[in-house]
Amino acid sequence: MNADILWDKLAGLPIPAIKWFDSIGSTNDVALEWAEKGAPDGALVIADHQSAGRGRMQRRWITPAGSALAFSLILRPKDEEMTRLTLFSGLGALSVSKALDELGLKSEIKWPNDVLIARRKAAGVLVELVWQAEQLQALVVGIGLNVAPASVPPPSEVLFPATCVETMLGKETNRWELLKSILRHLFVLRPQLSETSFMKEWEGRLAFYREWVQVEQPNQAILVGQVAGITDEGGLRLLTENQDFIVVTAGDIRLRPIEDKPLV
Ligand code: BTN
């Protein structure tokens, strides 16, 4: 793969510039730097191998060569998007989930940003922001998707069970068609961020819906509740044991099913 071939493969998408790397530390790092230097809206950074890929909460994100998708899209937020910044990780996750639909793979979104297939993590989204003084300049939407079995980290390396597209599909998958499909969905969904249909689609794919979960936030008590939905701001609605609704906003949150709680 190289930038020219990729350019042809992604023809028709509103991508004005591409940086391709056979190997790089983190595509998000390159994208953040490029965004600071003026990269245009829709610019794409993509790598075959990442040696220092990052996930949320300073976790490592492993991307072995030839087996995964690891890319970062630079978006210049429009005025009307400024109040919806918290929805961009959902935008990334929903785009992956809809691309998996096209392969015939059912997936769920584990709030806020993981894509699960059969309750195992196949993809993650890391959104980072570029500021200049008090002014937001750009969003970097970093997406990592396990495609071939070599991309799946060993159980000792992950907090949540992982899987990949090819294992769940039972056949080889063209990474570049999958990439095009994810990006196409992302560009189609982006103008719909404020629409009810977007929130409904996200909510409709919410993992653990109506199940008991625990939410861990650093330096705060663990919250326990049933997943009840997503707020318009992208927060997670939980129904507690006292039948109160609470909202968990973005932050260092872990979502885990608790097997021994009865469903109500
Ligand atoms: C997570 O699950 O915590 C998010 C993982 C995001 C990984 C992607 S891979 C492409 C981009 N570059 C990075 O260093 N991270 C994101």
Side-chain angles (χ1 to χ4, degrees), residues 39 57 100 107 111 134 173 235 258:
M57 294 174 266
L100 294 175
S107 59
W111 185 87
E134 308 267 286
T173 306
I258 303 172

Side-chain angles (χ1 to χ4, degrees), residues 63-82:
T63 311
S67 64
L69 283 174
F71 61 95
S72 304
L73 193 67
I74 298 167
L75 300 176
R76 301 268 170 204
K78 303 176 197 332
D79 287 347
E80 66 272 19
E81 290 174 337
M82 287 295 186

Side-chain angles (χ1 to χ4, degrees), residues 101-189:
D101 285 355
E102 286 175 7
L103 292 178
L105 272 182
K106 186 172 155 25
S107 59
E108 294 177 300
I109 300 173
K110 174 173 157 290
W111 185 87
N113 69 333
D114 292 344
V115 180
L116 309 184
I117 309 173
R119 299 236 148 164
R120 292 173 167 268
K121 179 164 171 170
V125 182
L126 177 66
V127 176
E128 296 184 296
L129 308 180
V130 178
W131 296 88
Q132 209 168 60
E134 308 267 286
Q135 192 69 32
L136 180 68
Q137 298 297 317
L139 286 149
V140 168
V141 182
I143 298 182
L145 172 63
N146 301 335
V147 181
S151 63
V152 180
S156 58
E157 297 252 353
V158 289
L159 292 162
F160 197 87
T163 191
C164 68
V165 172
E166 290 187 352
T167 297
M168 299 316 294
L169 204 56
K171 61 177 182 190
E172 281 188 20
T173 306
N174 185 308
R175 276 191 289 164
W176 315 117
E177 280 172 19
L178 197 46
L179 170 70
K180 183 165 190 181
S181 171
I182 295 167
L183 290 169
R184 187 166 37 79
H185 283 294
L186 196 148
F187 286 118
V188 168
L189 288 168

Side-chain angles (χ1 to χ4, degrees), residues 12-62:
L13 295 177
I15 295 178
I18 298 175
K19 284 192 186 195
W20 162 264
F21 296 91
D22 291 331
S23 179
I24 194 72
S26 154
T27 57
N28 261 37
D29 286 345
V30 175
L32 288 168
E33 208 181 307
W34 193 14
E36 270 174 25
K37 291 185 177 147
D41 181 71
L44 178 71
V45 180
I46 175 162
D48 188 37
H49 165 252
Q50 285 189 127
S51 57
R54 291 185 283 111
R56 289 175 71 237
M57 294 174 266
Q58 282 84 49
R59 294 194 196 119
R60 284 192 329 134
W61 183 268
I62 300 162

